[in-house]
Structures are given as C-alpha cells and as structure tokens.
Amino acid sequence: MDLTEGTMGSQPSLLGDADAAPPSSDPGFGDVDWDNLQIAGSQEDEGKMPMISEDHVYELLGLRDEDERAVNGTEGPVRTTQMNMNAADTVGATISVLDHIPDEIVIGYDKENPIIELGTVYPTMKEFRMALRDFAIKNEFSLGTEKSDQKRFRGFCKSNTECPWRIVANRQDDNRTIKVTLLCEDHDCVSNRRIETTAPSKNWVASKAENILRHKPDMGAKELQDKLQEQYGVTLVYDTVWRGREIALDKVYGKWSDSFQLLYRWKAEVLKRMPGSVVEIDPMVVDGQVYFHRFFCALKPCIDGFREGCRPYLSIDSTALNGRWNGHLASAVAVDGHTWMYPVAYGFIALETEDNWTWFMRHLRDAIGDPPLLAVCTDACKGLENAVASVFPSAEQRECFFHLMKNFKKRFQGSERLYPAAKAYREEVFTEHMTAIFNESAEVFNNWIRDIKDLPVAELADKVREMIMVLWSKRRRIAERLPPGRILPAVMVQLRANTRGLSHLKDVNLCDVNLCEAEPVMFGLLQ
C-alpha cells in the first residue's frame, strides 16, 4: 500500500522542504497593507480577541489566485512544487511494456448508453445484465426476467403483458462472452417513465454510484437517490439505493473486514515515509478471535510543529463515527500562532472509557513528551479527566467551555448569559448580552472531519493524514509569503483591533507605581 499512489500521490508531501520551490519573485506577492488591514466584525464582545481566518489570509496573499492559475494551466509555484515533490516517486516508472496478450478478446461498449442489437457481444453475463437494465431504463420500459443463470438469459417487457418484446442471450464457446441470439425489438406498450419501475436494482445503483462516491464519499443514500433519479429519469426505492451504495463503497474502498488489516500496511508505509511518527494499533482477543480495538497516530511534522511553535495547550475530544464500526475518533488539537486549529494526534477508540483514554494519552505523551506549563482542555467526561490526571499529572486541566455551555443548557435557563459573564471584566458588560458562543478548537476539528466519519478505518486514517498534508502545505505557503518579523502581522492586526474602545481606561504613570505590585494587574489586562 503505497501512500504516493492513486489519489494520495497528488497531495503535497509532509517529508520536508528540501524539494519545495522557492517563493515567487512576483512583485504582487506580499503587498498586503497589514497596518491598515481591519478585521470584519464587532467589538461588543468584551475580552474576545478577533481573529483573521486562514482563508482570508490565504486570499490576501494572492495564493487563491495562484491556485486558480495553476488549475487553468498557467505554471505557478503550486504546480512546480508538486512536480518536484512527486519526482522522486516516479523515477523509473516510464518503463515500456507490451500489453498485448495472445488470443485476448477485447470488447468495448458505452456503459452509459449501451446498444442492444442482435449479435452484440458482452464480456460477461454480469455486464450483459447491467447493460440490459440500462437499455430498459433509457427506453422507458420495465424489464422482466424469465430465466437467468451464467449460461443463458431470457427476458421480456413486463410493462404490458401483451408486449411482444423479447430477448435471449447465450454464453459462447469461450465459456465467458455473452451474445444476443434472439431479439424482438417491437414494443406494444406505453412509457412508464412516470411510474415506479422495477428495472433499477441495487447492482445498477452500485454501478452508477461508484464514480460519484469516488469524488464525494460522504454522499448519503438520500442525496444519491435524488441525484440518480434526476440524472436517469427513474424512480428509485430508498432501500435499493442504500444497498447499492454499500456495494459501491465496497468497490471503491474495499470491504470493511479488509480495512482493519490494511491499517498495519498503512502504519508501515507512514513510518517508512515519515520516520519519527508514532503509530500504534492495539487489537483485542475475544473467544480466540482477534478484533480491532484502538488506533493512535501522531505524524512527525505535527509533533515537531507542536514542540517548536505552538502554545503548551491541548484540547482533547472525540466524535462518534458513522460507519459500520461504531467507535469514536479521538483527537488532540493545539493552537498555532495565528490562533488556528493545529492537529497534533488522532486515533480510534471503541468506547470513551478511562482505559481507552489512558491508552490514547500515554501514546500522546510518547509523541510530545511532557511539556512544562501544559494546559489540557477536555469536556466533562470523567474517564478522560482521570486519564489526563494520570498521564499528565503536572498539567493544568480545563473544562471546554463549549461543552460546559451545552451541559448548562440542559438544566438551566439563560445560557446565553454564561459566556459574556465568563469573559467580561466590567460590571456593565457582565450584566449585558452576548450573541454567540465561541467554539473551542476541539469542536473545530470535529467539524473539519465530519464528512468522512463513515469511511472504513484504514481509509479514514489515511484521509485524515491527507487532509493534514493539504493543511500543512497551505500554511507553509502562507508562511513563505509573510513579511519578516518577530510578531505575526495578523497578530498585530488583532492587537490593534483589541485596543479599540478602551477610552474608559486611565493611563498609569509607571514611575509612580511599584512594578512588583502592578505586574499582576498588567498581566490581567493583557490576558
């Protein structure tokens, strides 16, 4: 299982910057007037630091326009970088080979618009049946089956019992190909386009859904049902669509039972490509049978970035998965210098038990160590809180305000007042209103991966890895375009925005104040 093949090979690499293209000399890049840049939004939420979003900075630096030019065929840093990164993986790949096999039968036909005529040949009985269903749907009649096995097929039109349309197909002497040997093409019935038809089967749905789900794997059965009905003009039963979608997902991602075993190959490939990563798989044995239990992953670039550039803060949370394995996706998230969500580690656990959380936290400690002044933010899960206290005994524990708000709403009225009360430092603001709840970073991560939670575990692990790679590539390009300096320009914009509306404060002459006594007050205002 090569992480550089298929869709994964088209993604940016996490293996360092050695092959990365240098910043462009285009004079338009970096011409952002940071001094006059203002953040959209209001200052009525006292104590709340305004932030510039990642997408906003990306657009300000001209990187979005650069991406569009690359897509339209113009050479740019994105295309050059990806070509350089993938060059090492394609050396020796262009070896000339002969694809011709003696006596091989090659049969081609349009699967979206098959032609059924006397004498037409199809590679297998399965493909013939699928083509015949497509033909019946396109010609708006219900297909009936009189006999069907691996050797012969006899069908008729059941839209009308008097309709003379008949078809017979038989397997040929090669014991594989299917040939139409009898066809009565006349129809004596009306179109049944507007009534429910029995022609579309779960296999037909699977054949049409396969390409759709490759591009959008999170598409649910209802959305898929609407799309197929609109595209092919048929009426589909929801249950048929659901079963067809499951068949298509197995074709795209493999069977669920195989996915758990693939995790071991995925682990080996990640450790080969990114030495220093921490990837652990823990199975369990029940009645002599080995079952998947839990999984942990911290990629080396994520570990290094947290140690070298992030605040000593971690938000730990989990979200329930939607697939056939009803476990939880656990995550450890930090905050970078822009106050943007920074993924540190993720994993899969069967249940939110203290044992599972302790296992996750121990491997997290193996990855990042035990940083001084570490603060860990969690929800009110007692098992998680106990695990943090056990593994990081010197860390400061905090309860996630988002979860605190949800628990408060279950029992009390006036929850909209809780947030401003926690953030305000003036009595008049304390008693006033607040319009929104600030969502903590762990919830940002859960929203980030919400559309992929029904994937098989191996695909889910790799999809999160892929999303992190794209995120890191995006932020690396942002960093290359920022002007030099010890403080991020976006942070300076935030500080300027946060100092507006402070006319009620009085200047203090530091010459007349004992600095030792004033220091706690000063830090209190800055926080």
Side-chain angles (χ1 to χ4, degrees), residues 257-282:
S257 56
D258 298 335
S259 179
F260 297 108
Q261 187 64 31
L262 282 174
L263 268 180
Y264 288 96
R265 299 176 61 186
W266 185 88
K267 172 185 175 179
E269 194 66 29
V270 168
L271 295 180
K272 174 184 175 183
R273 301 285 177 171
M274 288 178 281
S277 299
V278 178
V279 183
E280 297 293 338
I281 303 172
D282 185 31

Side-chain angles (χ1 to χ4, degrees), residues 7-23:
T7 58
M8 298 173 244
S10 64
Q11 301 301 334
S13 174
L14 272 174
L15 308 183
D17 297 328
D19 296 328

Side-chain angles (χ1 to χ4, degrees), residues 2 4-5 8-13 15-16 18-21 78-94 273:
D2 191 343
T4 63
E5 292 180 350
M8 298 173 244
S10 64
Q11 301 301 334
S13 174
L15 308 183
D19 296 328
V78 178
R79 174 168 294 188
T80 304
T81 300
Q82 290 183 355
M83 288 174 62
N84 290 336
M85 287 179 175
N86 294 333
D89 294 326
T90 59
V91 174
T94 56
R273 301 285 177 171

Side-chain angles (χ1 to χ4, degrees), residues 389-464:
S390 173
V391 180
F392 293 99
S394 59
E396 176 189 345
Q397 287 201 44
R398 303 176 181 178
E399 185 168 338
C400 172
F401 193 85
F402 177 79
H403 292 93
L404 181 64
M405 175 69 78
K406 290 203 299 184
N407 293 333
F408 185 90
K409 286 166 122 180
K410 293 177 182 177
R411 300 184 58 186
F412 305 105
Q413 298 295 323
S415 59
E416 69 278 1
R417 302 295 182 182
L418 187 60
Y419 186 86
K423 296 295 288 185
Y425 51 81
R426 284 189 293 159
E427 184 177 356
E428 59 269 27
V429 177
F430 181 84
T431 58
E432 293 239 345
H433 63 281
M434 169 93 182
T435 58
I437 300 173
F438 182 70
N439 199 340
E440 289 291 349
S441 58
E443 286 301 310
V444 174
F445 181 89
N446 291 344
N447 289 331
W448 190 50
I449 53 91
R450 65 183 177 183
D451 293 335
I452 62 172
K453 294 194 297 180
D454 59 346
L455 293 178
V457 290
E459 290 294 335
L460 178 59
D462 194 65
K463 185 62 178 180
V464 177

Side-chain angles (χ1 to χ4, degrees), residues 260 262-271 274 276-284 291-299 303 325 330 345-350 356 358-367 457 461:
F260 297 108
L262 282 174
L263 268 180
Y264 288 96
R265 299 176 61 186
W266 185 88
K267 172 185 175 179
E269 194 66 29
V270 168
L271 295 180
M274 288 178 281
S277 299
V278 178
V279 183
E280 297 293 338
I281 303 172
D282 185 31
M284 64 184 301
Y291 295 93
F292 173 78
H293 188 203
R294 47 199 181 188
F295 163 84
F296 176 89
C297 178
L299 301 174
I303 298 171
W325 186 67
Y346 64 97
F348 312 140
I349 55 178
N356 284 336
T358 301
W359 182 87
F360 181 88
M361 298 302 295
R362 283 176 180 167
H363 288 299
L364 180 61
R365 183 185 59 192
D366 293 340
V457 290

Side-chain angles (χ1 to χ4, degrees), residues 14-262:
L14 272 174
L15 308 183
D17 297 328
D19 296 328
S24 172
S25 59
D26 191 328
F29 293 145
D31 293 344
V32 178
D33 188 358
W34 296 99
D35 292 333
N36 293 320
L37 180 65
Q38 296 188 12
I39 303 175
S42 66
Q43 287 293 322
E44 62 185 45
D45 299 340
E46 185 167 28
K48 184 176 178 181
M49 176 71 79
M51 296 184 297
I52 301 180
S53 71
E54 185 172 355
D55 290 337
H56 189 191
V57 174
Y58 198 75
E59 186 172 354
L60 281 173
L61 295 173
L63 295 171
R64 191 175 305 283
D65 292 337
E66 184 179 287
D67 289 345
E68 293 178 358
R69 291 198 299 272
V71 171
N72 293 331
T74 305
E75 290 294 333
V78 178
R79 174 168 294 188
T80 304
T81 300
Q82 290 183 355
M83 288 174 62
N84 290 336
M85 287 179 175
N86 294 333
D89 294 326
T90 59
V91 174
T94 56
I95 300 174
S96 178
V97 295
L98 295 176
D99 294 331
H100 174 68
I101 299 176
D103 300 325
E104 180 185 22
I105 300 175
V106 179
I107 301 173
Y109 64 96
D110 186 355
K111 292 187 178 182
E112 291 296 322
N113 187 26
I115 298 175
I116 303 295
E117 295 177 345
L118 186 64
T120 54
V121 180
Y122 287 86
T124 63
M125 179 61 76
K126 181 179 179 180
E127 291 193 46
F128 167 73
R129 292 194 194 108
M130 194 62 60
L132 188 57
R133 284 196 177 272
D134 277 322
F135 179 79
I137 291 171
K138 185 175 180 61
N139 288 274
E140 304 172 13
F141 70 92
S142 290
L143 177 66
T145 301
E146 182 179 336
K147 181 177 181 59
S148 178
D149 55 32
Q150 295 301 315
K151 294 183 177 180
R152 63 188 65 82
F153 180 93
R154 293 201 296 269
F156 60 95
C157 173
K158 65 176 183 179
S159 296
N160 187 329
T161 55
E162 303 298 327
C163 183
W165 188 91
R166 293 287 186 277
I167 187 169
V168 176
N170 293 281
R171 191 165 68 182
Q172 300 302 290
D173 293 338
D174 58 10
N175 290 325
R176 187 176 57 176
T177 57
I178 304 300
K179 182 178 181 179
V180 178
T181 57
L182 174 67
L183 179 63
C184 178
E185 299 186 69
D186 295 330
H187 273 284
D188 231 357
C189 57
V190 297
S191 168
N192 70 335
R193 172 180 290 274
R194 301 189 184 279
I195 64 173
E196 187 171 314
T197 175
T198 59
S201 64
K202 62 181 181 180
N203 291 323
W204 180 88
V205 171
S207 68
K208 303 306 177 186
E210 189 172 335
N211 287 333
I212 298 174
L213 294 176
R214 287 187 188 276
H215 295 90
K216 192 177 181 182
D218 59 303
M219 179 179 290
K222 183 63 175 68
E223 184 180 356
L224 180 62
Q225 179 187 24
D226 294 340
K227 184 176 181 66
L228 292 176
Q229 289 183 153
E230 180 182 358
Q231 183 173 349
Y232 294 98
V234 296
T235 300
L236 293 168
V237 179
Y238 176 85
D239 184 65
T240 301
V241 177
W242 187 89
R243 293 177 184 276
R245 177 178 175 273
E246 293 296 302
I247 296 173
L249 287 174
D250 284 346
K251 292 181 179 178
V252 174
Y253 298 111
K255 295 186 178 297
W256 269 83
S257 56
D258 298 335
S259 179
F260 297 108
Q261 187 64 31
L262 282 174

